[in-house]
C-alpha cells in the first residue's frame, strides 16, 4: 500500500503559480543564458582568431585556425561541460542543490574573464590560455545543467512543472541571441572606429591591431549575467524535496516552503528510512526500477546532440549560399565578425528561440513523450529531405528551400528532443539520485555533441582529396553525412519509448518514492 505523501510536498504539487516560481525561473534561467552565451560565442570569433594569429604572408585567403587548434578551441568547453555535469550532478545529491549552485556560477564568472586574457602574445600562448580557461568554464556550465533542472523540478507544481523547466532551458535561446546581438554592436563600433580595407586589397591592413581586443571583449562579457545572478542564488532556500527526502528534515522543509510559498504548512515528524530500503546508483534496485529509464534518457540525449551539434556542418554552406557571409577575402576581419554574428542572430531569432517557447507553451498539454517523438520524427524527415536530393539543393535557384528545411530542422529540435531530453531526467528519478542521473544523462548528451561537432567535421569532408578543407583528410561527403544523421534521428524515435510520461504526476509518483518499496518510519 502506498504511503501518504508528505504535506510539504503535497503543498508544492498543488501550489498555485505565484511570483516565487517566476523568480526561480529567472534565477535558474540566467544561468542558462550565461551557459549558452559562453558556449556559442566562440563560434563568432574563431574566424577572427585565425586572421589575428595565423596570418600567412602572400596567401590568397585570410589566416584560419589549423584543424587541431580549431578542434581544441571549439571542443574543449564541451569536454569541460561533460566532466562538470558528472561531478556537480553527483555533488548536488551529496551536499544539496543550494550549496553547490553558487559554486558553478562563480566558476563561470571567473573563467569567462580569464578566457579573454592570455599568458603571452604568440599564437601558442594565446590558444593554450584560451583552451585552459574554456575547459574550466565548461566545467562550471556543466554543473548548471543538473542543478538548474533539478531545482526547478523540485520547486514547481505538478500542473505546470514541464513549462517551468522548459522556460529555464529556453533561456539558452536568448543567450545565443544575446551573444549575436552584442557581437553585432561591438563589431559595428570597431568598424566605425577602425575601418580597414578588405583582405584582397590589403592582406595585412585588413586585420587592424585593435581586432585583438574585439574577441576578448565578446568572451569577457559572458561574466556579467553570471555576476548579476550570484546574490539571488545564494538567497534561495534548499529545495523541500532534498531537505525532506534526502536530508530527512521534514520540519525544515516545511519551514522553508512556508516562507517561499507564503502559506502555512504544518511541520511533520522527522523521517527515517527503514534499514536496507535506501538504494544507491550502482545497486541492483536502481537497475531494476530505473535502469531502462536511465538508458532511455542517456541514449536519446546522446543521439539528439550528435544531430543537433553536427548541424554546424552545413551552416557555413547556407550562410555563404544566401549571401549572408561573402567570401572571406572580400571582407576585413571586423566585418567578418559582424556578418557571422548577424547570421547566427537571424537563425536564433527565426527558429531557435521560437522552438524553445513552443515547448514551454505545449509541454504540459501535449506531454513530454509526444513532443519528443514528434521532434525526432520531423528531424528525421527534414534530414532525409536535405540529404537524398542534396545536389538539387546546391543549385542557386533552390537555395531558399534549403534554408527553409534547415530552419525547420532547428525548430523541431528545440520544439522537440533538445528541450525534452533536458526536462525528463529531472522528473523521473528519485530525489536522492535525481541530480546524479540528470548529470549522467546530460554528460552522455555532451559526448554526442563532441561526436557531432568533431567526428562529423571530418566525416563530412569531400570524398575528393583535392576538395577537402585545408588540413583535413577525405570523408564521405555532406550528402552521406546527412543520411547518417537521419538514421541517428530515427533511432532517437525508437529509444524514446524507454522514457515514461511525467505529465501531470508528482515527482514522487513518477519515481516510485510514494510506493511501499521505499517504506519509511516516523520519529
Amino acid at each position: 500500500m502506498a504511503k501518504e505523501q508528505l504535506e510539504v510536498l503535497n503543498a508544492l504539487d498543488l501550489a498555485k503559480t505565484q511570483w516565487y516560481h517566476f523568480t526561480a525561473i529567472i534565477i535558474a534561467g540566467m544561468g542558462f543564458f550565461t551557459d549558452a552565451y559562453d558556449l556559442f560565442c566562440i563560434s563568432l570569433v574563431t574566424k577572427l582568431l585565425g586572421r589575428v594569429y595565423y596570418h600567412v604572408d602572400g596567401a590568397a585567403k585570410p589566416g584560419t585556425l589549423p584543424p587541431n587548434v580549431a578542434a581544441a578551441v571549439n571542443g574543449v568547453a564541451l569536454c569541460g561541460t561533460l566532466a562538470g555535469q558528472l561531478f556537480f550532478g553527483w555533488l548536488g545529491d551529496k551536499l544539496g542543490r543550494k550549496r553547490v549552485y553558487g559554486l558553478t556560477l562563480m566558476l563561470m564568472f571567473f573563467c569567462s574573464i580569464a578566457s579573454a586574457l592570455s599568458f603571452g602574445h604568440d599564437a601558442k600562448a594565446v590558444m593554450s590560455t584560451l583552451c585552459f580557461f574554456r575547459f574550466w568554464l565548461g566545467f562550471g556550465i556543466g554543473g548548471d545543467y543538473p542543478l538548474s533542472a533539478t531545482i526547478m523540478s523540485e520547486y514547481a507544481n505538478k500542473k505546470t512543472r514541464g513549462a517551468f523547466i522548459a522556460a529555464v532551458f529556453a533561456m539558452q535561446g536568448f543567450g545565443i541571441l544575446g551573444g549575436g546581438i552584442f557581437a553585432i554592436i561591438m563589431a559595428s563600433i570597431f568598424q566605425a572606429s577602425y575601418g580597414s580595407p578588405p583582405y584582397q586589397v590589403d592582406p595585412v591592413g585588413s586585420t587592424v591591431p585593435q581586432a585583438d581586443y574585439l574577441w576578448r571583449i565578446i568572451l569577457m562579457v559572458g561574466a556579467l549575467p553570471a555576476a548579476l545572478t550570484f546574490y539571488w542564488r545564494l538567497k534561495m532556500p534548499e529545495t523541500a524535496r532534498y531537505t525532506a527526502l534526502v536530508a530527512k528534515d521534514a520540519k525544515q522543509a516545511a519551514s522553508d516552503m512556508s516562507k517561499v510559498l507564503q502559506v502555512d504548512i504544518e511541520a511533520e515528524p522527522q523521517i527515517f528510512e527503514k534499514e536496507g530500503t535506501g538504494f544507491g546508483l550502482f545497486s541492483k534496485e536502481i537497475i531494476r526500477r530505473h535502469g531502462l529509464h536511465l538508458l532511455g534518457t542517456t541514449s536519446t540525449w546522446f543521439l539528439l546532440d550528435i544531430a543537433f551539434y553536427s548541424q554546424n556542418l552545413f551552416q557555413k554552406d547556407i550562410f555563404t549560399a544566401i549571401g549572408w557571409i561573402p567570401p572571406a577575402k572580400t571582407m576585413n576581419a571586423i566585418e567578418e565578425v559582424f556578418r557571422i554574428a548577424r547570421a547566427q542572430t537571424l537563425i536564433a531569432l527565426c527558429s531557435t528561440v521560437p522552438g524553445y517557447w513552443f515547448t514551454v507553451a505545449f509541454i504540459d498539454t501535449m506531454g513530454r513523450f509526444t513532443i519528443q517523438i514528434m521532434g525526432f520524427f520531423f528531424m528525421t524527415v527534414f534530414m532525409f529531405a536535405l540529404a537524398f536530393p542534396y545536389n538539387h539543393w546546391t543549385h542557386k535557384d533552390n537555395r531558399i528551400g534549403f534554408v527553409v528545411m534547415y530552419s525547420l530542422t532547428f525548430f523541431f529540435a528545440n520544439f522537440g528532443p533538445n528541450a525534452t531530453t533536458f526536462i525528463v531526467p529531472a522528473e523521473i528519478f528519485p530525489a536522492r539520485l535525481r541530480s546524479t542521473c540528470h548529470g549522467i544523462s546530460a554528460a552522455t548528451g555532451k559526448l554526442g555533441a563532441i561526436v557531432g561537432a568533431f567526428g562529423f567535421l571530418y566525416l563530412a569532408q569531400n570524398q575528393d582529396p583535392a576538395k577537402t578543407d585545408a588540413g583535413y583528410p577525405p570523408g564521405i561527403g555532406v550528402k552521406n553525412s546527412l543520411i547518417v544523421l537521419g538514421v541517428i534521428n530515427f533511432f532517437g524515435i525508437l529509444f524514446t519509448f524507454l522514457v515514461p510520461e511525467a505529465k501531470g504526476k508528482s515527482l514522487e509518483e513518477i519515481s516510485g518514492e510514494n510506493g511501499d518499496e521505499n517504506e519509511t518510519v516516523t520519529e
Side-chain angles (χ1 to χ4, degrees):
M1 191 177 193
K3 71 183 178 66
E4 192 176 328
Q5 189 180 27
L6 286 169
E7 177 60 33
V8 63
L9 305 186
N10 190 53
L12 277 172
D13 281 336
L14 301 177
K16 292 180 180 179
T17 301
Q18 50 193 275
W19 178 244
Y20 189 78
H21 288 120
F22 293 107
T23 305
I25 289 171
I26 293 167
I27 294 169
M30 284 305 290
F32 267 87
F33 179 97
T34 307
D35 296 349
Y37 183 101
D38 288 333
L39 278 180
F40 290 95
C41 70
I42 194 69
S43 64
L44 301 171
V45 300
T46 47
K47 297 279 189 184
L48 179 59
L49 289 170
R51 286 186 184 243
V52 172
Y53 293 104
Y54 292 91
H55 170 75
V56 178
D57 288 332
K61 295 179 181 179
T64 57
L65 297 178
N68 61 329
V69 177
V73 167
N74 286 291
V76 72
L78 295 177
C79 296
T81 303
L82 189 156
Q85 286 163 337
L86 291 172
F87 177 73
F88 285 110
W90 167 78
L91 205 62
D93 283 332
K94 289 293 179 187
L95 301 181
R97 294 39 163 148
K98 181 196 170 178
R99 290 175 69 182
V100 185
Y101 208 27
L103 185 60
T104 60
L105 213 59
M106 280 180 63
L107 205 53
M108 288 153 61
F109 173 79
F110 286 114
C111 291
S112 288
I113 294 173
S115 62
L117 307 175
S118 52
F119 303 137
H121 301 285
D122 66 323
K124 186 175 181 180
V126 173
M127 295 303 139
S128 299
T129 306
L130 178 62
C131 289
F132 176 80
F133 285 112
R134 277 192 67 79
F135 175 85
W136 291 107
L137 173 65
F139 193 69
I141 290 170
D144 226 41
Y145 274 72
L147 292 170
S148 288
T150 301
I151 284 171
M152 201 63 244
S153 74
E154 292 182 344
Y155 269 130
N157 60 52
K158 63 183 180 183
K159 186 179 178 183
T160 56
R161 184 179 60 241
F164 286 170
I165 306 171
V168 169
F169 193 62
M171 293 298 286
Q172 271 199 339
F174 288 128
I176 297 169
L177 193 63
I181 290 170
F182 182 73
I184 288 171
I185 293 168
M186 292 309 303
S188 299
I189 293 170
F190 271 68
Q191 182 75 337
S193 304
Y194 312 109
S196 58
Y199 182 86
Q200 61 188 4
V201 175
D202 184 357
V204 175
S206 67
T207 305
V208 295
Q210 292 83 358
D212 191 45
Y213 295 113
L214 178 58
W215 70 268
R216 296 176 189 272
I217 292 169
I218 291 171
L219 262 57
M220 196 176 286
V221 164
L224 281 180
L228 293 172
T229 317
F230 184 70
Y231 171 76
W232 297 107
R233 284 203 177 184
L234 296 182
K235 294 279 286 181
M236 290 179 82
E238 183 58 83
T239 71
R241 285 185 159 90
Y242 182 86
T243 305
L245 298 175
V246 183
K248 306 299 177 200
D249 192 345
K251 292 178 181 178
Q252 185 62 47
S255 173
D256 288 343
M257 290 306 104
S258 292
K259 296 171 188 173
V260 165
L261 299 175
Q262 298 177 341
V263 293
D264 289 327
I265 301 174
E266 185 180 344
E268 292 171 279
Q270 189 83 18
I271 302 172
F272 293 98
E273 284 182 342
K274 282 186 174 180
E275 191 175 346
T277 57
F279 51 87
L281 180 63
F282 301 106
S283 65
K284 290 181 181 178
E285 188 70 7
I286 190 70
I287 294 171
R288 182 178 72 82
R289 296 171 69 176
H290 298 288
L292 285 178
H293 298 162
L294 190 58
L295 176 62
T297 58
T298 52
S299 58
T300 52
W301 208 335
F302 175 75
L303 294 167
L304 174 275
D305 272 8
I306 291 177
F308 188 73
Y309 280 82
S310 63
Q311 285 183 343
N312 291 320
L313 283 175
F314 44 97
Q315 200 168 63
K316 64 180 185 300
D317 299 330
I318 291 170
F319 293 162
T320 303
I322 61 177
W324 285 356
I325 303 180
K329 65 182 181 180
T330 65
M331 298 180 284
N332 64 44
I334 294 170
E335 184 187 353
E336 189 172 34
V337 173
F338 175 86
R339 296 271 190 163
I340 293 168
R342 187 178 66 175
Q344 180 172 301
T345 302
L346 287 169
I347 288 290
L349 203 57
C350 296
S351 61
T352 307
V353 172
Y356 281 125
W357 289 98
F358 264 71
T359 302
V360 174
F362 292 108
I363 191 163
D364 286 311
T365 52
M366 291 176 64
R368 291 77 164 138
F369 179 82
T370 303
I371 288 177
Q372 187 159 309
I373 287 283
M374 177 192 70
F376 270 128
F377 172 78
F378 281 112
M379 287 174 72
T380 305
V381 169
F382 290 126
M383 282 289 185
F384 285 148
L386 287 169
F388 289 113
Y390 182 72
N391 293 331
H392 166 81
W393 296 121
T394 57
H395 296 300
K396 191 172 183 179
D397 294 341
N398 304 322
R399 285 169 177 169
I400 294 299
F402 192 75
V403 174
V404 171
M405 291 279 193
Y406 173 76
S407 296
L408 285 170
T409 308
F410 251 121
F411 175 81
F412 281 106
N414 293 313
F415 182 31
N418 193 39
T420 53
T421 52
F422 174 80
I423 294 163
V424 172
E427 299 181 305
I428 64 175
F429 298 107
R432 70 164 71 83
L433 298 170
R434 186 169 290 134
S435 179
T436 302
C437 289
H438 193 286
I440 292 170
S441 303
T444 313
K446 275 297 167 284
L447 186 61
I450 293 166
V451 172
F454 304 106
F456 277 83
L457 188 62
Y458 286 86
L459 202 64
Q461 293 297 318
N462 201 293
Q463 292 169 299
D464 182 353
K467 296 180 180 179
T468 61
D469 292 340
Y472 288 92
I476 63 172
V478 173
K479 177 178 178 176
N480 292 328
S481 295
L482 290 173
I483 293 171
V484 172
L485 292 174
V487 172
I488 286 170
N489 285 323
F490 176 74
F491 276 105
I493 297 173
L494 301 181
F495 278 100
T496 297
F497 285 94
L498 296 176
V499 182
E501 178 58 74
K503 182 181 77 171
K505 299 176 182 177
S506 75
L507 295 179
E508 290 68 46
E509 184 183 354
I510 305 161
S511 65
E513 287 172 288
N514 273 353
D516 55 6
E517 290 177 340
N518 196 31
E519 192 179 350
T520 61
V521 292
T522 54
E523 187 178 53

